[in-house]
């Protein structure tokens, strides 16, 4: 129970303590000094709900450029190596699934259409000795995803997802895809971490998959996917049912799971409706514990469960958007769930606090992409669920426990206050508490609001449906190898590879040209425009060698920029069997599909730096360029220097910092002392120059900026590690910047001041810097802390 809920009662303690002071002590008191100015009243912020579910989720497949993955088994680090080799000597019947007509036979053979393949997984110790090597073939995955998909789809090497200690197994994802289509199937492979023996091969994902948990119980002894429940004792419970398709799965606790179904497709391609209950509660043996009807599962692609878990109430909330009902499943007893009609819930009206006598009530708010709900943790006797549909939030407002009519029921609290007063007002006989105890006594620290005020282009793919001129359109992208047009490989790579490896490199698509296709279709399916690019178009941005040696990857749509009237894409390039990679940023005219900009977005060794829009949406700042509507791009690259990072400061000013480039001997080139610029984005002027040391990433020679923005002070904070100084740049007046020596800052000592907020700055490799900013005076206090453990 948070002490902040009863903060207004602190005055009771003070008055009682004053009354118990001896008279002599009162008489000896010095004359009253000038009263100190009252601290400014801090605005009451809404309490935000903790919606972190207690179940660990398997990570999504990552296109990592950090080298081969490493796992730690029994305290020792091991490397995992995976590979796939198409076996052209063993053709497989493809059934009805065939690649696109414009794919050449040679390309079909290279990608594995209609041919077997050999998958190899090795676990190597620190000395390079093989602990185990496991080999599988395509037919081994047929029971999981079907013979047709296994034979007729292109395949890829297994990707390591995780090590599961409870299972003592390594988990891999193996993908199968039909080039140029949405037909994707993936299998989940579990290998014994000691012997490499195959434990399980499970269906893991389809292109129209449901909203499935892919999570472990809190004890790590059961894994739930979209098709199976797998236990550490080897028991496997299939969740598939004839004539039905899994729409979503969730853990409700370690012994109970929820599975929702929709009707499967018939032979005519129509989805068959389900009658009766379609959501089932099961135990770990697959036995049904309960069932109910759940609608509103459709999503843009596939299906979704409109749900949320709330840690404060240990309750799982499930919305039926079609029937407008909300089901509440208690974590401890999910079978005793309740169903509430949304129309009967009171509407939320500010303030969030329960009553004037408790300024910070334990009433929590959370928001998702659907209307959600939260229950108060204060009043267990009476709860009132409140909703707010215009803002798509739901909130519970508790009854104030200190209203007059509840004073008798809460008389025990009054007695507790008197006892605490009698015990706590005398002189302390206990030693001074340690720092951790003092921190606990002061309550939770006030965290800073470090949300940037600028819109960012997402790093992940976004929905492919956009609205242009009032019409809904869909964006489509693909990339395919052009096996008829070989490109020149660099001599250094060709000379290091044996003839067999070089043949495999060429067969994979590296060293060949590729066609990148970007389409925009209207709601009626008609093509608005079609833009085709080849590898040579990306050479100027990414580099000829990297483009030549990369496998073609479909462009990723990251958003529509209305003021620039452009569709934005990123295109990733990674050299075969290396961690050498980079991404290009591509902007197409939203009407004609004409290329408006094509430039470098990020290199593998760069610290992440988001592409950010000014508030008016007219200017896009990337790591390497400034793009403004109606003006030619301004490139930020400088000879003999590399861009360490860029940051948007306000609507018309940006900071650009440079790090030294490397010469042919891998030595840094000279760097000017004033290596950072403040640029005026409107006229391109350099407003001022300053020194700002870059922060090493620990990966090759990449650099980045140690940076944070604080909303309460409207200030950008930069840390320069080489001279250990802080640069404070005000958002409204960026040229009025200040530089502070870290050693001159006061060290943080408990307690945290009322007007002080805490935020973190990465201070170089291997250490961290925590700052406490006074939101009234702007003063800073510093604290060194160990970096968080991975």
């Amino acid at each position: 129970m948070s002490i902040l809920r009863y903060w207004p009662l602190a005055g009771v303690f003070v008055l009682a303590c004053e009354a118990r002071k001896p008279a002599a002590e009162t008489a000896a008191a010095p004359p009253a000094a000038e009263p100190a100015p009252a601290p400014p009243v801090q605005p009451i912020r809404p309490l935000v709900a903790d919606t972190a579910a207690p179940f660990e989720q398997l990570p999504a497949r990552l296109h990592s450029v950090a080298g081969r993955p490493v796992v730690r088994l029994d305290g020792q680090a091991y490397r995992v190596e995976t590979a796939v080799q198409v076996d052209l000597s063993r053709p497989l019947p493809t059934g009805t699934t065939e690649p696109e007509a414009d794919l050449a036979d040679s390309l079909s053979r290279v990608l594995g259409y209609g041919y077997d393949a050999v998958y190899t997984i090795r676990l190597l110790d620190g000395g390079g000795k093989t602990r185990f090597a496991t080999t599988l073939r395509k037919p081994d995955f047929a029971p999981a995803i079907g013979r047709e998909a296994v034979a007729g789809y292109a395949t890829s090497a297994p990707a390591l997802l995780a090590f599961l200690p409870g299972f003592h197994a390594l988990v891999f994802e193996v993908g199968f895809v039909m080039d140029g289509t949405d037909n994707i199937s993936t299998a989940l492979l579990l290998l014994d971490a000691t012997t490499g023996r195959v434990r399980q091969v499970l269906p893991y994902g389809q292109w129209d998959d449901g909203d499935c948990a892919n999570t472990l119980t809190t004890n790590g002894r059961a894994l739930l996917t979209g098709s199976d429940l797998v236990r550490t004792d080897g028991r496997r419970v299939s969740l598939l049912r004839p004539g039905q398709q899994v729409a979503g799965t969730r853990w409700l606790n370690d012994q109970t799971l929820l599975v929702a179904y929709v009707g499967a497709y018939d032979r005519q391609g129509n989805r068959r409706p389900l009658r009766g209950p379609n959501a089932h509660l099961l135990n770990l043996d697959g036995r049904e514990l309960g069932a109910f009807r759940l609608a509103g599962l459709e999503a843009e692609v596939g299906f979704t469960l409109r749900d949320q878990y709330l840690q404060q109430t240990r309750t799982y909330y499930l919305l039926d958007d079609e029937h407008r009902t909300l089901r509440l499943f208690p974590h401890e007893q999910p079978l005793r769930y309740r169903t509430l009609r949304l129309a009967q819930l009171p509407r939320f009206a500010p303030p969030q606090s329960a009553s004037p006598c408790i300024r910070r009530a334990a009433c929590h708010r959370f928001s998702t992409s659907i209307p959600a709900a939260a229950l108060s943790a204060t009043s267990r006797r009476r709860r009132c669920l409140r909703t707010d549909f215009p803002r798509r939030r739901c909130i519970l407002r508790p009854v104030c426990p200190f209203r007059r009519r509840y004073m008798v029921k809460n008389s025990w609290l009054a007695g507790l206050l008197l006892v605490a007063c009698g015990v706590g007002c005398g002189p302390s006989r206990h030693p001074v508490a340690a720092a951790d105890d003092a921190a606990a006594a002061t309550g939770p620290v006030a965290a800073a609001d470090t949300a940037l005020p600028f819109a960012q282009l997402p790093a992940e793919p976004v929905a492919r449906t956009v609205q242009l001129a009032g019409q809904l359109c869909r964006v489509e992208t693909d990339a395919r190898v052009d096996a008829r047009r070989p490109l020149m490989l660099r001599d250094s790579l060709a000379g290091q590879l044996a003839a067999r490896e070089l043949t495999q490199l060429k067969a994979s698509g590296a060293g060949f040209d590729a066609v990148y296709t970007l389409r925009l279709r209207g709601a009626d399916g008609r093509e608005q425009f079609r833009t085709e690019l080849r590898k040579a178009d990306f050479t100027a941005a990414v580099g000829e060698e990297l483009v030549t040696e990369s496998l073609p990857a479909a462009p990723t749509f990251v958003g529509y920029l209305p003021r620039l009237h452009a569709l934005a894409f990123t295109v990733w390039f990674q050299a075969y069997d290396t961690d050498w990679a980079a991404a290009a940023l591509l902007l197409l005219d939203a009407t004609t599909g004409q290329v408006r900009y094509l430039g470098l977005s990020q290199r593998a060794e760069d610290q992440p730096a988001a592409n950010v829009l000014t508030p008016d949406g007219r200017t896009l700042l990337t790591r390497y360029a400034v793009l403004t509507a109606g003006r030619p791009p301004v490139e930020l690259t400088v000879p003999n220097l590399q861009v360490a990072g860029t940051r948007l400061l306000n609507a018309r000013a940006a900071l650009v910092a440079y790090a030294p480039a490397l010469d042919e001997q891998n030595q840094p080139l000279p760097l000017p002392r004033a290596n950072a610029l403040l640029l005026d984005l409107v006229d391109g002027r350099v407003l001022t120059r300053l020194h700002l040391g870059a922060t090493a990433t620990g990966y090759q020679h990449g650099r980045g900026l140690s940076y944070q923005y604080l909303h309460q002070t409207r200030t950008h904070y930069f840390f320069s590690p080489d001279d250990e100084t802080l640069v404070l740049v005000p958002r409204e007046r960026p040229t009025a910047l200040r530089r502070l020596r870290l050693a001159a800052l006061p060290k943080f000592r408990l307690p945290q001041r009322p007007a002080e907020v805490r935020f973190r700055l990465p201070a170089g490799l291997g250490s961290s810097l925590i700052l406490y900013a006074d939101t009234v005076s702007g003063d800073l206090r510093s604290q060194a802390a160990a970096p968080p453990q991975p």
Side-chain angles (χ1 to χ4, degrees), residues 585-663:
L585 177 65
L586 172 64
L587 299 185
L588 297 185
D589 188 281
T591 302
T592 64
Q594 180 183 0
V595 176
R596 299 268 294 275
Y597 175 77
L598 202 168
L600 182 62
S601 178
Q602 183 180 349
R603 298 187 186 277
E605 63 267 24
D606 292 339
Q607 278 189 5
N611 301 319
V612 186
L613 286 165
T614 53
D616 59 8
R618 292 182 54 83
T619 301
L620 176 66
L621 176 67
T622 75
R623 191 186 190 96
Y624 296 98
V626 179
L627 310 176
T628 305
R631 297 184 180 180
V634 177
E635 297 293 339
L636 300 178
T637 54
V638 176
N640 298 328
L641 296 176
Q642 62 174 328
V643 180
T646 59
R647 291 296 185 274
L648 190 61
L649 303 177
N650 58 30
R652 60 174 297 167
L655 180 140
V656 184
Y658 294 92
L662 303 178
D663 59 17

Side-chain angles (χ1 to χ4, degrees), residues 31-39:
E34 196 70 25

Side-chain angles (χ1 to χ4, degrees), residues 121-199:
I121 301 175
R122 293 184 178 89
L123 187 67
L124 309 175
D125 60 17
K129 184 179 180 180
T130 300
R131 179 167 180 172
F132 69 73
T134 300
T135 302
L136 298 96
R137 286 187 172 269
K138 271 190 174 184
D140 295 325
F141 299 95
I145 64 174
R147 296 182 179 276
E148 181 179 329
V150 164
Y153 287 19
T155 187
S156 59
L160 177 67
L161 297 183
F163 166 64
L164 306 184
F167 289 78
H168 192 65
L170 300 173
V171 184
F172 298 84
E173 178 188 359
V174 184
F176 298 84
V177 59
M178 170 57 68
D179 187 73
T181 71
D182 288 333
N183 294 334
I184 299 173
S185 295
T186 56
L188 195 68
L189 172 64
L190 276 69
L191 296 185
D192 187 281
T194 301
T195 64
R197 180 176 60 88
V198 176
R199 293 271 198 88

Side-chain angles (χ1 to χ4, degrees), residues 15 24 27 29 110 260 311 321 339 549 561 574 583 671 744:
L15 292 177
V110 166
Q311 176 63 32
D321 201 16
T339 303
E549 298 173 22
L561 311 181
Q574 181 174 354
L671 180 72

